[in-house]
Amino acid sequence: MKLILLLSICFFLEINAGYSQSGSVFCMGNGDYCVYEEGVNVIQVFGPPYSSASPFKVTLLNSDVRVVTQRKQGTAVYIHTLYRQDRKIGTITDFVSSCSPCFCRMTDLTEPVSFSLNVSDPADWQYKMILTDKYAVRKEDYKVNNGLVVTALPGVYVYHTYPSPFETNHQIFVKGAAELTSKEDQEKVYDLRFGKGKGLFYLIGGPSYQDLNSHVEEVLKQKPENLLNRTIADWHTFSGTRSQFDKLISNQNANKTELLKAVDDVSVLLKTQQGREGGVLAGHYYHLAYVRDEYGVSRALLALGYVEQARKILQFYYDLWRQYGHISNAQAIGVPGIFHRHENDEVEITGYILIQAFDYFGKTKNQKFIKEMMPFLEWCWEAQKKNLVDNMLPFNGDETYIAGGMIPRKVLNDGSSEATLLFIEGGRKFISFIERLKCKDREWILKNKGILDTTVEHYRENFMRDGKLLVNNPRRAVLCNYPETRYGVCLYPGHGGYQGLLNHYKGYMYFCQECSQKPTNQIKLEEPEEFFLPSSYLMPIYIGSTLFSKDEKEGMLKELIKLYQKTGKITINQQDERLLGYDYGLFLYALTEFNHPLAGEIYRKMMDLRDGSGAWVEYYNGKEPSGCRYRPWESGINIEAAIHYVGRH
């Protein structure tokens, strides 16, 4: 009886036909196969594995049809109810099977609707995509109407300019009241029509053709209703393992119902985007696992009670490090050897990994797992040590305020207060663990504690000015050595953007291969500057920094409160309406730590920013969402802050 009640509860999201930048995006995924939708429109399909090329878009053509999308509570099963002139014309049920790399669409309509199926949209796929009307099984055996196989050859870009080393295959099938026909006037565009009655549309992944054969048979041997019921049951098993917030929060708490819905929304968001290997996609734009993003995700998973999913993230990095000997700013999920490298990848992200590992240890006391990872954690520590100059670490080029445009890229080799703080806090936990378990000899411990103590001793001198915490210190850039080449963003005037391997010009400037051949006589280095961002005060509180006393952290928070109460903003540039998607989350977490009455107002503002899928996004211009949707990092930080706040109120 309880199960029937749960399945009847749905969360609503109303979206009109057509995909728009401002729409709410959501994900269905099982670790192997991943589908992003906006309403009833399929906008991306990945897998297996998760980091792969997306060959499909499925778009509703009937402009007179209104769609109301509902998600079954505790699952990633979506019910689309279709209306024409306020007359209900049926439902479409979408889900990714929990046991096969398969997306299934089940239709039950009283009037026909039509979709456009677009294959191979990017121009660079023109000679790397093969479409055939062959089938991985005899279609007559399974009463299949028609379909096709789509093969992406090796070399198709997984993300940016990173080519896949192997081919991937997808099988499309339609059954029942569904037909797929090619358009004579448009290559690789198909009409997908669902008629009156019940229809089926399958997308099934390989990646190899041999894999595809077995996956297709596995799917078609089952009734779609059984596939759906198994998926719902597996989702409820997953949802049942999280912390029971309904019991932990008083029924008198006015925020209880809202929080429970947000917890469910974000739980599904995180689970659907975590690949089988453990890495979590960074949202619908970014088809890789980014280290900083995984830290916020891990924090959220631990707060939600999903300790095994948090462990899998660490296992993902450990497995990659054992195979390749390094970790970069971001790495592909399930595709060997693809690393998205950026400036100074040995710092900041490595600090996050150390803190993440000991956050997990603090929650689980899984000493065996941390000991197993010790060679990797030691590499994370040593990689940072190599970059210490005048007791400061530089910025990582894609994991800081730099990527969001809040400070210029010229500061990349300056001292970074945040990267150095992560080094200190992660190092303290790392060395303490080693000392307690006697993993290293006394000489190693004394030497490394000395390096840590010296960094701590000079931190305030390096990064505090008139009682305020600086973001950067230009002195490090004067003293450091610049490598001849590095990966990152071209700084030739007028170019910019990520360009891969760069050549050193002078000072902080690096140019791509093309721009290195251009005239440089008019190019001058900008003068160094010190930058102050009020929101940087929140990181010491968020990571539980031991470098600052409670009074010092409260003093920093009061500076930010003063700014907010005066301007209504927490950014120093009051003309800029841009808000990072996690700014309110960090602010709320800090306010809750100090039981400040402003927490209630910030909680309300933060919760009101959620889109129709219950997610937070990358940026906001005022209240308008901007950038990547369905973001694990921002959503993870914010849901942890919400849990923290409601649990105390």
Side-chain angles (χ1 to χ4, degrees), residues 16 25 95-96 131 141 145 174 221 252 304 331 408 433 507 619 649:
N16 292 321
V25 172
F95 64 98
V96 166
L131 279 67
D141 295 341
N145 295 338
V174 290
K221 282 180 180 178
Q252 284 71 44
L304 292 164
Q331 19 278 312
F433 186 87
Y619 304 109
H649 295 80

Side-chain angles (χ1 to χ4, degrees), residues 610-623:
R610 290 174 300 158
D611 64 17
S613 67
W616 285 274
V617 307
E618 190 173 14
Y619 304 109
Y620 295 90
N621 293 321
K623 291 185 178 181

Side-chain angles (χ1 to χ4, degrees), residues 111-334:
E111 298 179 18
V113 294
S114 296
F115 290 79
S116 171
L117 170 67
N118 188 299
V119 181
S120 180
D121 187 51
D124 57 291
W125 291 12
Q126 186 176 359
Y127 303 108
K128 296 176 182 175
M129 188 69 67
I130 299 173
L131 279 67
T132 60
D133 60 359
K134 62 185 177 182
Y135 305 96
V137 294
R138 280 170 46 88
K139 69 173 187 173
E140 295 82 5
D141 295 341
Y142 297 99
K143 298 180 181 179
V144 169
N145 295 338
N146 53 6
L148 73 155
V149 170
V150 177
T151 302
L153 298 176
V156 167
Y157 293 146
V158 168
Y159 176 68
H160 198 58
T161 56
Y162 305 125
S164 172
F166 47 76
E167 74 174 40
T168 55
N169 291 273
H170 298 263
Q171 173 76 70
I172 299 173
F173 276 131
V174 290
K175 298 181 66 176
E179 289 291 337
L180 184 70
T181 56
S182 60
K183 293 180 73 70
E184 293 182 2
D185 58 335
Q186 289 181 273
E187 186 183 5
K188 299 178 183 177
V189 178
Y190 295 78
D191 285 322
L192 175 60
R193 186 179 184 275
F194 295 100
K196 183 178 178 180
K198 295 185 178 182
L200 286 169
F201 170 64
Y202 290 110
L203 293 173
I204 305 171
S208 72
Y209 197 75
Q210 289 75 14
D211 294 327
L212 188 63
N213 281 334
S214 61
H215 294 156
V216 167
E217 290 211 53
E218 181 183 323
V219 169
L220 293 186
K221 282 180 180 178
Q222 303 178 65
K223 291 182 179 179
E225 294 81 7
N226 293 342
L227 207 61
L228 174 60
N229 290 337
R230 165 73 182 274
T231 297
I232 290 172
D234 287 346
W235 267 106
H236 280 299
T237 298
F238 166 75
S239 297
T241 64
R242 71 170 170 247
S243 300
Q244 300 300 302
F245 295 103
D246 56 336
K247 297 177 181 178
L248 297 175
I249 303 169
S250 164
N251 285 328
Q252 284 71 44
N253 193 313
N255 297 306
K256 180 174 180 176
T257 301
E258 179 182 49
L259 178 68
L260 292 179
K261 180 184 182 305
V263 161
D264 195 58
D265 289 335
V266 176
S267 296
V268 171
L269 177 153
L270 299 177
K271 175 64 173 173
T272 54
Q273 294 182 99
Q274 183 169 38
R276 178 178 51 173
E277 297 79 7
V280 180
L281 293 170
H284 86 294
Y285 278 174
Y286 308 119
H287 311 151
L288 308 173
Y290 287 73
V291 175
R292 182 200 63 164
D293 294 48
E294 308 291 283
Y295 175 69
V297 170
S298 178
R299 289 272 301 248
L301 290 170
L302 292 174
L304 292 164
Y306 294 124
V307 294
E308 175 57 20
Q309 285 69 32
R311 187 199 65 79
K312 285 179 67 177
I313 296 175
L314 291 168
Q315 187 71 54
F316 171 70
Y317 290 124
Y318 180 40
D319 290 343
L320 283 172
W321 177 81
R322 283 190 297 177
Q323 187 172 2
Y324 295 100
H326 68 92
I327 291 292
S328 294
N329 165 60
Q331 19 278 312
I333 302 171

Side-chain angles (χ1 to χ4, degrees), residues 493-561:
H495 194 192
Y498 185 82
Q499 301 296 330
L501 191 63
L502 309 172
N503 299 321
H504 186 223
Y505 169 55
K506 63 181 177 181
Y508 60 82
M509 284 193 168
Y510 281 78
F511 301 152
C512 68
Q513 311 303 309
E514 179 184 347
C515 289
S516 295
Q517 311 303 316
K518 295 178 181 177
T520 58
N521 56 319
Q522 299 297 318
I523 299 175
K524 295 181 180 180
L525 296 175
E526 295 180 12
E527 290 296 316
E529 296 177 80
E530 291 181 341
F531 291 93
F532 162 68
L533 291 174
S535 56
S536 67
Y537 280 171
L538 298 172
M539 189 56 68
I541 301 172
Y542 179 59
I543 65 173
S545 171
T546 55
L547 177 62
F548 298 99
S549 68
K550 182 178 179 180
D551 287 345
E552 285 179 309
K553 286 187 278 191
E554 188 171 17
M556 291 181 185
L557 178 60
K558 285 179 178 177
E559 285 286 323
L560 197 52
I561 292 169

Side-chain angles (χ1 to χ4, degrees), residues 585-624:
L586 290 186
F587 196 22
L588 175 61
Y589 189 91
L591 291 166
T592 303
E593 279 288 286
F594 289 95
N595 296 309
H596 195 280
L598 183 60
E601 179 180 330
I602 298 304
Y603 173 83
R604 183 73 272 133
K605 283 195 169 186
M606 183 188 79
M607 297 299 279
D608 287 346
L609 286 177
R610 290 174 300 158
D611 64 17
S613 67
W616 285 274
V617 307
E618 190 173 14
Y619 304 109
Y620 295 90
N621 293 321
K623 291 185 178 181
E624 289 299 312

